Amino acid sequence: RVLGQPFVYHPVRTLWVGIHYAYQYPALAVSADYVIVDIGCGGGDALRYLDRFAGYHGYDTDGVAIGFAKERPEAQRPEVTFTQGYADAQVLADRQPTRIMMNGLLHHLDDADAVDVLAMCGACPSVERVVTNDVIYLADAHANNLMASLDRGKFVRDMAGYRALVTSAGLRAHSLDLVRSHPDRGFVRYLVMVLTPVRDQDQSSQ
């Protein structure tokens, strides 16, 4: 519960595993006219890495994290919003996002819920790219796997498990990359998946 507080969690995590999103947010490939929906936005870390967009909308069920996010200096821009609650299909229909970020979300969801949220993103006509970032179990990576087992998320998967979610949700994996928790000193690995929807015209051409 103490580690769940943003003002504790972020500094402790940074010191312990050297967390740094040097790859995850650039993988969104955002331009100035894009709208981003950040599902499970936490304390709004995305705004440290994203600054060019038409709109950024963060959603999280944790009221403390949302309160923290709203106080960030970067959050004072009129095109930035943070909302406590779920980003459901109606939210996506209203926001019409071009990009969806799910940073550290899937390993907190069981298979059914994870597939549902991925499929919901793929079904939104405006969405062109979905980027996810999660801890992962790796063969013979003992230190990494120990840290993964200590994560607050109870559904950490191996590569095959994450691939199965993507397939079940009807999305296409544009890339699946293992990245270090920090470019220089990170010993924990994260799986960054860049996913794209499979549209009707894609299916008819196959």
Side-chain angles (χ1 to χ4, degrees), residues 9 13 19 21 24-25 38-42 60 101-109 131-135 151-154 156 162 190-192:
Y9 178 62
R13 184 177 58 166
I19 194 70
Y21 301 120
Q24 291 87 326
Y25 287 109
D38 192 351
I39 303 177
C41 64
D60 203 295
M101 183 73 204
M102 289 186 279
N103 187 11
L105 177 65
L106 295 181
H107 69 277
H108 289 272
L109 304 176
V131 176
T132 71
N133 173 51
D134 289 278
V135 290
D151 193 276
R152 293 184 299 164
K154 302 307 178 186
V156 179
Y162 286 111
Y190 288 83
L191 174 64
V192 177

Side-chain angles (χ1 to χ4, degrees), residues 106 108-118 155-157 160-162 164-166 168-169:
L106 295 181
H108 289 272
L109 304 176
D110 64 23
D111 285 358
D113 287 341
V115 169
D116 282 349
V117 71
L118 288 170
F155 301 97
V156 179
R157 301 165 176 91
Y162 286 111
L165 297 180
V166 176
S168 297

Side-chain angles (χ1 to χ4, degrees), residues 4-77:
Q5 304 301 313
F7 54 84
V8 176
Y9 178 62
H10 293 296
V12 169
R13 184 177 58 166
T14 300
L15 289 173
W16 198 345
V17 301
I19 194 70
H20 186 276
Y21 301 120
Y23 181 84
Q24 291 87 326
Y25 287 109
L28 280 172
V30 175
S31 68
D33 58 342
Y34 285 1
V35 175
I36 306 160
V37 165
D38 192 351
I39 303 177
C41 64
D45 266 359
L47 295 181
R48 296 174 54 196
Y49 301 89
L50 301 171
D51 58 4
R52 296 175 64 250
F53 46 73
Y56 169 90
H57 308 289
Y59 292 82
D60 203 295
T61 59
D62 186 336
V64 174
I66 287 294
F68 182 86
K70 287 181 176 180
E71 295 301 316
R72 302 183 76 105
E74 308 96 326
Q76 308 315 307
R77 298 164 57 176

